Amino acid sequence: MPHVIVKLWPGKSEQQKQALSDFIAQGVMNHLGYGEGAISIGFDEIAAEDWEDQVVKPDILGKWPSLSKRPGYVDPPA
């Protein structure tokens, strides 16, 4: 039962978020073999000034080995 959380800065429209949600769901179905009813997707809007503390440290640096796509704006942990 995949649950995908997309963390992003505020400002994207509901239409943009729905389009991304549809795209992600289709990818999960195509590549992982789950049915549409098994997938849930949520969006967490994080203010730019909170990004470092709420996303970079816990979710990127703190989970570096498990990231399948690493950002170019963060140096790998030492």
Side-chain angles (χ1 to χ4, degrees):
M1 300 298 188
H3 176 65
V4 178
I5 300 170
V6 178
K7 295 184 181 186
L8 70 166
W9 288 354
K12 300 301 180 190
S13 71
E14 290 304 314
Q15 292 83 3
Q16 288 173 305
K17 291 188 276 187
Q18 185 60 56
L20 179 58
S21 183
D22 294 343
F23 183 80
I24 292 169
Q26 191 62 54
V28 169
M29 289 186 287
N30 291 345
H31 296 284
L32 301 181
Y34 289 96
E36 188 170 357
I39 303 162
S40 55
I41 300 170
F43 288 85
D44 287 347
E45 293 187 345
I46 311 293
E49 60 270 16
D50 297 325
W51 193 257
E52 179 81 16
D53 288 333
Q54 292 186 25
V55 178
V56 172
K57 290 176 183 175
D59 294 332
I60 297 174
L61 295 175
K63 298 178 182 179
W64 192 262
S66 68
L67 295 180
S68 60
K69 167 66 174 87
R70 295 175 175 161
Y73 66 89
V74 175
D75 290 330

